[in-house]
Amino acid sequence: MVMFDFTKRDIVMMAAFLALMFLVGMIWLAGTVVGTLFHGILFGMVLIAAAVVIGKRYTILALGLVYTLIDFSSAHMYGGTLTALNTLAGAVVLELVLRSTPEYAMNLKLDVIGSTLYGFVSRVVYVAIMVLIYGLYLPLWTIAALIVPHIITFAIGGYLGYKLGEKAKNVLESV
């Protein structure tokens, strides 16, 4: 059974990170090339920084669930309403990776691996929904072009998010 033991402070910080996640999603308005290059880096940074700063189990799962529920209202712009499930699928995988250590999200190597897997799983789910449910025909090279950049950029974002999260956590603890 999932037990959320978040304090009011944790919930407020999660709301701030959720707002950052939606802000990062606006990068796609700059175009496909800019979105492809920077979305994974920024989104991965926010996810891992949230996990490091809040430091409690189910942080990523809660953020992914709320983001998915809100995204259902606007996901039709990005390929169909069900594609909003890609965030939840990635969040489940990232949560499992972050929980594999005794101290939640405090292992750089696992944070980068988890962020990379988040990028891979969320994109595979996105493409699978587009192809299998909505019937979009995509050539193999397009599928690869949709998945591979996110693997790389989410790995970079995971690394930067860990470093940023450590600094932010130190600042918050000193206040």
Side-chain angles (χ1 to χ4, degrees):
M1 179 168 201
V2 177
M3 297 294 292
F4 296 107
D5 62 341
F6 298 119
T7 63
K8 289 179 185 177
R9 179 179 183 263
D10 296 335
I11 293 170
V12 168
M13 284 196 302
M14 287 173 69
F17 281 111
L18 185 66
L20 284 173
M21 289 166 65
F22 277 104
L23 187 64
V24 167
M26 294 298 152
I27 193 116
W28 289 103
L29 296 175
T32 307
V33 174
V34 173
T36 301
L37 292 176
F38 293 107
H39 178 262
I41 294 171
L42 297 173
F43 206 81
M45 275 178 56
V46 171
L47 284 173
I48 298 301
V52 170
V53 169
I54 297 169
K56 290 188 177 176
R57 293 175 180 231
Y58 303 116
T59 298
I60 296 301
L61 186 61
L63 284 172
L65 182 63
V66 173
Y67 188 92
T68 300
L69 290 174
I70 294 170
D71 203 24
F72 267 125
S73 66
S74 63
H76 63 281
M77 295 184 293
Y78 307 111
T81 304
L82 291 178
T83 57
L85 293 173
N86 73 330
T87 304
L88 184 59
V92 168
V93 171
L94 179 55
E95 182 70 34
L96 290 172
V97 171
L98 295 179
R99 290 189 63 195
S100 65
T101 60
E103 199 172 348
Y104 186 79
M106 292 308 296
N107 185 330
L108 174 61
K109 190 178 292 185
L110 283 178
D111 287 358
V112 172
I113 290 170
S115 181
T116 305
L117 287 174
Y118 178 95
F120 176 73
V121 169
S122 68
R123 268 323 212 184
V124 167
V125 168
Y126 178 83
V127 170
I129 289 171
M130 296 276 291
V131 171
L132 299 175
I133 294 178
Y134 293 118
L136 182 67
Y137 172 75
L138 293 174
L140 192 56
W141 67 269
T142 306
I143 293 172
L146 285 170
I147 296 172
V148 172
H150 284 278
I151 296 171
I152 297 165
T153 58
F154 269 91
I156 295 167
Y159 176 79
L160 295 174
Y162 180 82
K163 295 297 186 181
L164 179 69
E166 277 188 324
K167 291 179 191 260
K169 186 174 184 175
N170 289 338
V171 168
L172 287 173
E173 288 175 353
S174 67
V175 173

